[in-house]
Amino acid sequence: MDTRDEDRYAPLHPSAHVDRFARDNLPPRAQWPDFIARLPELQYKARLNSAAELIDSWIARGAGERPCFITDGETLTYAGFAERVNRIAHALTRDLGLAPGNRVLLRGTNSPMMVAAFFAVLKAGGVAVATMPLLRAKEIAYPLNKAQVKLALCDARLAEEMEKARAGAPFLERVVYWGEGGAGSLERLMDGAGYADFAACDTASDDVCLIAFTSGTTGEPKGTMHFHRDLLAICDSYGRHVLRAEAGDRFIGTPPLAFTFGLGAIALFPLRIGASSILIENTTPPDLIAAIARHRASVCFTAPTAYRAMLPLLKAHDIGSLRKCVSAGEALPRATFEAWREATGLKVLDGIGATEMLHIFIGSPEEDIRPGATGRPVPGFEARVIDEAGNEVAPGTMGRLAVRGPTGCRYLADPRQQAYVQNGWNLTGDTYLKDADGHFWFQARSDDMIVSAGYNIAGPEVEAALLTHPAVAECGVVGAPDEQRGQIVTAYVVLQPDADASAEALQDHVKATIAPYKYPRRIVFVRELPKTLTGKLQRFALRRLVAKD
Ligand code: 3UK
């Protein structure tokens, strides 16, 4: 833990921000993680505007007529998308008074207007604060206040909660809506004469351009700050070395743009390579599989549970266009990996990412996959499994995951920075094991380990075992308080439609699959499981349920 990168304390480049809020609220330098950029492709020039780099560079290279964003109703070329971004950037700077460094809240589904608004904020030197469409007023007010946001751009269909949020958001001065086209709408403002071209703000590569809030399942959400260069770094590490998509690919995905998994999937990765992105607003597994077939998508990003839920629907849809599938957010159970490969011939790429790290930092390309493992560190990143004292443990031993690379945690004014970053490493809060060959195996979120009669049991391992039973559609395993054993392993199980299985049958199945002491002593059949807006199982909600029962 003694290796420190010298450039950790290198001064930042001169900022283009007139409004210095973001820079002034970065954590103290001593609390930053180490940033490493040993690959040549991860070394960026001092002045860099990520929007210009991702969009305008294609037009300069003569690729303006390539399809960029595709929906059921329209196809925008790179040139068409660039113009839309430029028009919004003018509306922001000329009509709405945006100064470089100002934060702008963005609310919308994954639509061309939402994505264009996002890049317009970046191109104008602003800082984007995107929010999930389903948030309620109180949850919208939190980032508005924490990031001191004066201006919001919002899809008119989401006006109700946005207006309610205003009452609790003293910094917010103005909300501009798109989608209705009336007086004062974003469409009207964009219409100005001479708005088709916009010269990008001359931002520093280390100017903040994004504040992404964590979903905050425990405690207040945390605002994670990312630089212009970070948006390119995830493309040039994960995108280039693990995903390896090509210009002819057609991306599709369900995670919202406000979740950094979605930002990379449906915007940054395709734009970096000049590919196209299909934007969908309805994102249930049946919607997704139908859209893959309808639009002939070739690269798909979604949650592990969605791959499992699409399995029974494969017969009814021709998804022969698909060539790459990425799963993140939660561990991809081996049973799901095998069943998807069996049915489609494709290996799902599992990858662990985090809002703090912007995107995926461990995950292997097809030829290096160990089914059930997350993978190896993405080129550009380093990962270790450490003990409580911060020392690396021997292969095959469980411990805390520590990672560093070109991206890393910088919370907006938050004392929790010191819990996430220790000795220059980012600690994600996950318990992992590295095998002798260097593959990383997820065990559990560190606070999700169940301790029963002195045994440490990882809930996800029991879930993975249950999922190998054909009758199980989804499940969640948590510890229930128990006088004798401390905790007992309790499984909440959703059965496949039309399937039937007794608790005993499932318990026997687990005992036959993994060490018998790990079997769920209690099984509760439910119709659905509590999920976060980012599609993760809400274990704390299950634990609360289990404590009440
Ligand atoms: C868990 C995983 C096992 C893990 C994310 C891809 O999920 C993302 O970000 P969040 O901030 O959550 C981070 C935490 O989620 N996790 C994510 N992926 C996996 N656990 N296997 C996985 N493959 O606990 C991690 O610490 O919501 C994922 C890209 C961008 C993201 N923000």
Side-chain angles (χ1 to χ4, degrees), residues 259-261 328-331 350-356 358-360 428 430 432 442 445 536:
F259 180 24
T260 61
F261 180 32
E330 291 185 295
D350 190 5
I352 179 173
T355 308
E356 288 82 352
L358 194 55
H359 219 273
I360 295 175
T428 63
D430 298 290
Y432 258 83
F442 175 76
R445 290 283 309 164
K536 294 182 214 276

Side-chain angles (χ1 to χ4, degrees), residues 379-394:
F381 289 87
E382 297 172 359
R384 305 178 152 177
V385 179
I386 61 171
D387 62 18
E388 285 306 317
N391 299 312
E392 193 165 9
V393 299

